[in-house]
Amino acid sequence: MILTLLKREMKVARRNWIGLAIPLLFFIIVVSLFPFAVSPEAPVLQKLAPGVIWVAALLAMLLSLEQFYRSDYQDGSLEQLLLMSSPTSVAMSKILAHWLLTGLPLVILSPLLAVLMQINYGSEGSPHTWVLMLSLVMGTPTLCLLGAVGMSLTLAANRNGLLVSILIIPLYVPILIFGASTVTASLENMRYNGELAILGAFLLIAIVFAPFASGRALKISVG
């Protein structure tokens, strides 16, 4: 059932490709502006790169949360989906589709922005770019899972974007801290296994609890 719902989400996403492109363009533009605003010197950019890329990724994910349930809620199809399948299955399919369409492209784009931010300056052959991608692979699904819960809780509110930001940003901060710390540790040639382990623990906890919590909140908001 989740795969069937996932296929539906992919078909719907094709019609709204502009909405999917906006967070990705935002991600690219924010990171690209920093060399102009701060300094084009490689050592300065390399020092700022982990925080800049991770903050831009977090804001891009936050910007894309409006795509979770809003259109289906407004046209009534969300209620039909909840009647045909369990709320947890609907929430899980939405989360998977959202990460595949938003989180995964951010991960794919990150090496290009890493080059722009001189993340491998003075360390040829180093794994810094791979560490950045790995941190995003482990961090962005957690952002999607937490965002789904926030959107489900505020679905019936008029200005739910503001409410989601208030609810979700405090939960996003630990992911931001450990995601950026992973890349910083790699740049300083220190061990980053601990930071990756914490990101993995956050992801596992979110996978266990977030779909269920989001599904229950959806049922309450729609019902």
Side-chain angles (χ1 to χ4, degrees):
M1 192 62 187
I2 292 177
L3 290 176
T4 303
L5 293 171
L6 183 60
K7 290 178 183 177
R8 175 194 175 273
E9 293 301 320
M10 293 299 185
K11 290 179 181 178
V12 172
R14 290 179 196 169
R15 305 173 197 162
N16 187 31
W17 63 270
I18 295 177
L20 296 172
I22 289 174
L24 303 179
L25 290 174
F26 176 85
F27 179 57
I28 294 170
I29 291 170
V30 168
V31 178
S32 300
L33 288 176
F34 263 84
F36 297 102
V38 181
S39 171
E41 296 182 3
V44 176
L45 291 176
Q46 187 185 52
K47 187 174 181 180
L48 295 174
V52 170
I53 293 175
W54 256 96
V55 167
L58 185 150
L59 294 176
M61 295 295 292
L62 193 64
L63 186 64
S64 68
L65 291 182
E66 191 70 21
Q67 302 171 24
F68 253 111
Y69 305 114
R70 176 57 55 189
S71 61
D72 287 340
Y73 178 73
Q74 290 175 341
D75 63 19
S77 58
L78 181 60
E79 187 174 356
Q80 298 300 317
L81 289 173
L82 293 174
L83 290 174
M84 292 189 303
S85 181
S86 67
T88 303
S89 297
V90 174
M92 195 65 203
S93 64
K94 291 277 187 181
I95 292 166
L96 281 171
H98 186 259
W99 185 78
L100 289 173
L101 296 168
T102 305
L104 184 59
L106 292 180
V107 176
I108 295 171
L109 288 171
S110 62
L112 300 176
L113 299 178
V115 172
L116 179 66
M117 295 296 290
Q118 303 288 341
I119 203 169
N120 285 321
Y121 171 75
S123 52
E124 290 75 9
S126 65
H128 304 323
T129 300
W130 292 106
V131 173
L132 172 64
M133 294 181 70
L134 182 58
S135 68
L136 289 171
V137 165
M138 298 182 71
T140 50
T142 311
L143 300 180
C144 288
L145 288 158
L146 295 175
V149 177
M151 284 301 298
S152 301
L153 290 171
T154 61
L155 189 58
N158 291 328
R159 300 178 65 183
N160 67 332
L162 179 61
L163 289 174
V164 169
S165 299
I166 295 172
L167 287 172
I168 295 301
I169 286 181
L171 300 177
Y172 276 6
V173 170
I175 313 299
L176 172 65
I177 291 172
F178 288 104
S181 297
T182 302
V183 187
T184 301
S186 176
L187 290 172
E188 295 177 353
N189 296 316
M190 298 173 61
R191 294 178 64 87
Y192 47 84
N193 296 346
E195 288 85 351
L196 283 178
I198 293 173
L199 285 176
F202 285 148
L203 178 57
L204 289 176
I205 293 171
I207 287 173
V208 171
F209 292 105
F212 176 76
S214 181
R216 295 295 296 176
L218 273 180
K219 194 171 183 180
I220 293 170
S221 297
V222 174

